Amino acid sequence: MTRVTPLLDTIALPDDLRGLGEEQLLQLADELRAETISAVSETGGHLGAGLGVIELTIALHYVFDTPRDLLIWDVGHQSYPHKILTGRRDKIRTLRQKDGLSGFTRRVESEYDPFGTAHSSTSLSAGLGFAAARNLKGGDERVVCVIGDGAMSAGMAYEAMNNVAIGDSRFIAILNDNDMSIARPVGAMSGYLSRLLSSRSYQAAHNVSHRIARKIPRPLARAAVRAEEYARGMLTGGTLFEELGFFYIGPVDGHSLPQLLPVLRNVRAAGDKPGGRPILLHVVTKKGKGYPPAEAAEDKFHGVSAGFDTPATKADEKTSEKTSKTASESKTQTQDSPQDKTQAAKPIAWTRAFSDALINAANSDDTIVAVTAAMPSGTGLDKFAQAHPRRCFDVGIAEQHAVTFCAGMAAAGLRPFAAIYSTFLQRAYDQVVHDVALQSLPVRFVLDRAGLVGADGPTHHGAFDIAYLCCLPNFVVMAPSDGDELVHMLETQILLDACPSAMRFPRGALPHPARATTPTPLPPLPLGKGRILQEGTDLAILSFGALLGEAQEATQQLAAQGLSTTLADARFAKPLDTDLVRQLARHHKRLAVLEEGASGGFATQVFSCLAGEGDGLAGRIIPLTLPDVFLDHAERKEQLSEAQLTATQISTRLATALTNT
């Protein structure tokens, strides 16, 4: 369906937006919401968060002088409407695709993206950095940080707020409260109070009262200021933020432009005279607003795949009712067609296989507990929580706390599984080192999204965990190559009660889905022992993890060229199967070491092992790792090709290396 967006079609940059009358902004919001839904239905991505900030995005660009005034979005997946309004509408249907727009804000993409935000809770710290630089350079631009969608649950946000004195009233934090359950109901009275508290008259009286307070005895002055702040806090609920140094305003209905615009204008005006307190504006929104399936979904359509149904906009209905009716009838016929009812079953994902295996293990072991940092569905722990609600903990976006929380439970005799994306565990590395590894506490890390993750791109690739965990003493690091191996390794982790361990696996479907649809208890593995899957004489491939399938295909291609290859599955990066490594190196001309990780990981472990032999065996190694760059967003198969790790590329590289030996 062709979208009818007459107002949005006139907006190339925020300067065009600021030329509209306020009465036109409601229509623009409808059109921007429809365009966002339509674009994401084609590309996939984060939908609910962006739909929740449609009106807020319009209001911010309408009131503030972006890009001169700096607008920092936290988390960056709220920024799709922002991208549409800032010169990137013509590329919005390349979102998260190779050579297309990033799914997050990105400095190299637009001057309207002053800071890249893909991991959460970074905006306030970065914004204070911009504010400090502005003050030192004598600038007068405003810094506006939009934080929300769970980002306020992270300690980093509070560390920044504890240092908010660096800023002044030209530093503005906007709390996008979309189901955080910290706001009282928003209505006419709260809207009135917000306009009053942000108004020039109140601000002037507030400043006069503080000047008077400086002229009276200090104990009385402190009492008077405290009384005013607590009275305001009781009316609005912002006492916490007041204590942290902000002037709190809110809550405000984030979907009401008539409420947002005057409050934002007042907030902007407060910065005309530098020296006032930083401002926190509390805005209440609804994630998924304007798309009923997203509003009704438990996760508010946080992340979606391409191809979901898009609703007709009000403009579409008024101008093309007949076309809409025809499309609706066609859709109904398609939905009822026999072909749709006989679609092939979806393959089993690595995440689901892990979840099923952990549930099965916990059914017979009441010491097993599970922890996630705000990603219950992404890590499969939503299913575990249904089966064992008292033994599943979602700590919010607080990876550092999650790790030390698990350390405490391990010290008390439980068997905690910390299910965290590989890229997010980086945020808690100090806790992994000091609170877990140094004390040899048996925390079981399960690293989902290890390796290349596709459309989320370089901020979310799990490229470094092998390297940053293998360097820690007494740490077990393993990676399954299929569903059965995953269950074996989980059972192995359960029995590791004297040291920490990590199991990593990629995003996507298992290579052998039929073998892991209903994981059953399988015996643990011998610690630090790999396996040989195929014997050969010319060269050997030692694979670590889920790229084993690419390695198997590569051996077939090499066989077609007359080359005989041994294929081995390492299973463990640490402790390393040193006997297997030496055997492969001694009996083959070249030893290829394959991993979906950065340089410094598994191949480095193998090289270190052979270098200690002193007989030149280390020179036979061919490391097949991720390249020493941050790979951009694309389909995972495109990223593997860019990394030279497809089966054909592996066989070509090895055949060439063998020829040059």
Side-chain angles (χ1 to χ4, degrees), residues 50-170:
L51 295 182
V53 296
I54 294 289
E55 289 82 6
L56 180 60
T57 303
I58 291 172
L60 287 169
H61 283 296
Y62 193 73
V63 171
F64 290 95
D65 184 20
T66 55
R68 186 174 181 277
D69 288 336
L70 305 177
L71 179 56
I72 303 173
W73 290 93
D74 182 347
V75 182
H77 59 237
Q78 300 180 85
S79 66
Y80 297 179
H82 159 80
K83 291 183 182 236
I84 293 172
L85 294 178
T86 54
R88 289 170 275 184
R89 185 187 181 190
D90 61 334
K91 297 181 179 178
I92 198 64
R93 284 167 175 76
T94 69
L95 197 67
R96 295 158 46 89
Q97 299 174 31
K98 184 174 175 59
D99 301 322
L101 294 180
S102 169
F104 308 95
T105 54
R106 197 173 190 187
R107 295 183 66 219
V108 297
E109 194 174 282
S110 171
E111 63 178 332
Y112 290 89
D113 294 357
F115 197 76
T117 51
H119 287 192
S120 81
S121 316
T122 61
S123 65
L124 297 182
S125 295
L128 285 172
F130 279 109
R134 174 203 61 207
N135 295 345
L136 289 171
K137 294 192 296 183
D140 62 357
E141 67 272 17
R142 301 169 184 88
V143 179
V144 183
C145 302
V146 184
I147 184 168
D149 199 30
M152 285 293 289
S153 64
M156 186 174 179
Y158 294 93
E159 291 177 10
M161 285 193 285
N162 192 48
N163 286 274
V164 79
I166 294 172
D168 56 25
S169 57
R170 293 170 298 171

Side-chain angles (χ1 to χ4, degrees), residues 384-403:
F384 184 89
Q386 294 172 11
H388 302 287
R390 295 185 65 250
R391 289 193 268 156
C392 189
F393 304 89
D394 183 353
V395 301
I397 303 176
E399 291 86 1
Q400 298 177 17
H401 166 67
V403 171

Side-chain angles (χ1 to χ4, degrees), residues 258-342:
Q259 281 198 33
L260 280 173
L261 292 173
V263 172
L264 286 174
R265 286 196 184 98
N266 289 336
V267 167
R268 181 193 64 191
D272 291 343
K273 295 182 179 180
R277 292 168 65 191
I279 294 170
L280 186 138
L281 174 60
H282 183 172
V283 175
V284 178
T285 63
K286 184 168 187 177
K287 198 169 180 179
K289 175 72 174 178
Y291 184 47
E295 292 183 20
E298 183 177 348
D299 64 355
K300 307 297 183 187
F301 271 45
H302 178 74
V304 294
S305 301
F308 60 85
D309 292 335
T310 58
T313 66
K314 294 178 181 178
D316 294 332
E317 293 166 356
K318 291 178 182 178
T319 59
S320 55
E321 183 177 349
K322 183 176 180 180
T323 303
S324 298
K325 182 177 179 182
T326 303
S328 177
E329 290 171 353
S330 173
K331 178 184 164 188
T332 301
Q333 293 170 0
T334 302
Q335 287 177 334
D336 292 339
S337 66
Q339 184 178 0
D340 274 5
K341 294 181 179 179
T342 57

Side-chain angles (χ1 to χ4, degrees), residues 600-644:
F602 177 60
T604 299
Q605 297 292 312
V606 174
F607 181 84
S608 296
C609 167
L610 294 178
E613 297 294 301
D615 52 8
L617 291 178
R620 298 184 182 183
I621 295 177
I622 304 172
L624 302 175
T625 68
L626 294 180
D628 192 27
V629 297
F630 288 103
L631 290 172
D632 217 340
H633 56 275
E635 293 292 326
R636 186 171 181 274
K637 62 183 179 181
E638 294 173 320
Q639 292 168 340
L640 281 175
S641 177
E642 190 174 349
Q644 297 286 299

Side-chain angles (χ1 to χ4, degrees), residues 202-216 220-221 224-225 228 232:
Y202 180 86
Q203 292 288 325
H206 173 78
N207 292 335
V208 168
S209 68
H210 276 252
R211 284 199 298 271
I212 292 173
R214 286 195 291 268
K215 297 180 183 300
I216 63 177
L220 291 176
V225 171
E228 187 263 347
R232 187 150 38 87

